[in-house]
Amino acid sequence: MEPNPVVKGSLTTIILKLLEDNGRMYGYEMTKAVRESTANKMSITEAALYPALHKLVEDGLLTTTSEKVDGRIRKYYALTKQGKKETHSKIQALKEALDSVQLILNPKLSNG
Amino acid sequence: MEPNPVVKGSLTTIILKLLEDNGRMYGYEMTKAVRESTANKMSITEAALYPALHKLVEDGLLTTTSEKVDGRIRKYYALTKQGKKETHSKIQALKEALDSVQLILNPKLSNG
DNA sequence: GTATTTACCTAATAAAATTAGGTATGTTTT
DNA sequence: AAAACATACCTAATTTTATTAGGTAAATAC
């Protein structure tokens, strides 16, 4: 079974959360981390991931450093000070949004 | 506090869910239902809603009937047979997607 | 009679993801 | 050694979806 793409609009926040938890990561590592933590149910596609990473750097939320490991280039990403600040509020906002959708999918039956 | 828009990509499934629960509804009613069931935390904007409804009709998942109530037109929407079928799988898919994001936001700490 | 609520809608733009690739090195399998 | 798979980066074109920013019109509340 192919893993499904992650919930739309959540990618940026997921990246920030991964970096908050792990300090620094490279792109390919993030795709594996998501597949693992969701038991292969969801994945982030590289075609969505890399542009999102570049935008976060552009917006000043991430910094990047390249390293050669085993003959291959890795671009590590880490949160900037500003990135750390915004991470908290974005995670909070996403959690609340998810909770609201849950409320709609599991509405209160209480009318009596 | 203004309610936030609903999680991106979830609108179509939310519409189907509302109609599954309520039999038939009109657009404006759906916007109120979402605000109510989320305690005014989330709303669906009409600018997103109406095009989404029209597309669902076009795709054969909804039918519509117009009624004049208190001098104003209401366009009621209801699930077609095909709409009912697809509703189940779309709700299931959205639930799994939400669960996966939850797993990423609340990762297992279990490494020992 | 003004504001708010009900009730529908669209056009232009922006944001985000998908589709569909491409490049290159290292590792494993046959 | 060739083929397949995994690692690791990337982009261009398109599509999907939502936002911004309105508009129309009738009923109701103030």
Side-chain angles (χ1 to χ4, degrees):
Chain A
M1 250 186 291
E2 282 299 295
N4 293 109
V6 109
V7 173
K8 283 169 210 283
S10 63
L11 180 56
T12 291
T13 307
I14 286 171
I15 291 169
L16 296 175
K17 169 64 178 171
L18 289 172
L19 291 172
E20 187 187 57
D21 287 352
N22 297 293
R24 63 176 216 155
M25 297 179 85
Y26 54 99
Y28 190 75
E29 188 182 12
M30 296 179 192
T31 68
K32 284 189 299 179
V34 166
R35 280 198 300 273
E36 274 172 40
S37 70
T38 65
N40 215 43
K41 279 187 184 163
M42 293 286 145
S43 71
I44 54 185
T45 63
E46 293 180 55
L49 174 63
Y50 290 111
L53 286 171
H54 300 161
K55 182 158 194 306
L56 285 168
V57 172
E58 197 184 296
D59 291 348
L61 304 192
L62 302 186
T63 49
T64 180
T65 53
S66 288
E67 267 179 47
K68 199 166 196 175
V69 180
D70 296 327
R72 288 193 220 83
I73 288 289
R74 284 183 186 170
K75 278 182 72 176
Y76 280 97
Y77 292 88
L79 294 169
T80 62
K81 184 174 267 186
Q82 196 202 335
K84 283 176 194 172
K85 245 185 287 178
E86 295 196 19
T87 294
H88 300 295
S89 60
K90 290 208 175 173
I91 289 174
Q92 198 49 40
L94 179 55
K95 280 185 179 175
E96 282 171 23
L98 296 179
D99 286 347
S100 289
V101 178
Q102 296 281 12
L103 281 174
I104 297 161
L105 295 184
N106 306 295
K108 293 235 178 58
L109 313 166
S110 57
N111 275 1
Chain B
M1 250 186 291
E2 282 297 294
N4 294 108
V6 110
V7 173
K8 282 168 210 285
S10 64
L11 179 57
T12 291
T13 307
I14 286 171
I15 292 169
L16 295 175
K17 170 65 178 170
L18 289 172
L19 291 173
E20 187 187 56
D21 286 352
N22 298 293
R24 63 177 218 156
M25 297 178 85
Y26 54 100
Y28 189 76
E29 189 182 12
M30 296 179 193
T31 69
K32 284 189 299 179
V34 165
R35 280 198 300 274
E36 275 172 39
S37 70
T38 65
N40 216 43
K41 279 187 183 162
M42 293 285 146
S43 72
I44 54 185
T45 64
E46 294 180 54
L49 174 63
Y50 289 112
L53 286 171
H54 299 161
K55 182 158 193 307
L56 285 168
V57 171
E58 197 184 297
D59 292 348
L61 305 192
L62 303 185
T63 49
T64 181
T65 54
S66 289
E67 268 179 46
K68 199 165 196 176
V69 180
D70 297 326
R72 289 191 222 85
I73 288 288
R74 283 183 187 172
K75 278 182 72 177
Y76 280 97
Y77 292 87
L79 295 169
T80 61
K81 184 174 268 184
Q82 196 203 335
K84 284 176 193 172
K85 246 186 284 180
E86 295 195 20
T87 294
H88 300 296
S89 60
K90 290 206 174 172
I91 290 174
Q92 199 50 39
L94 180 56
K95 281 185 178 176
E96 282 171 23
L98 296 178
D99 286 346
S100 289
V101 178
Q102 297 281 12
L103 281 175
I104 297 161
L105 295 184
N106 306 296
K108 292 231 178 60
L109 313 165
S110 57
N111 276 1

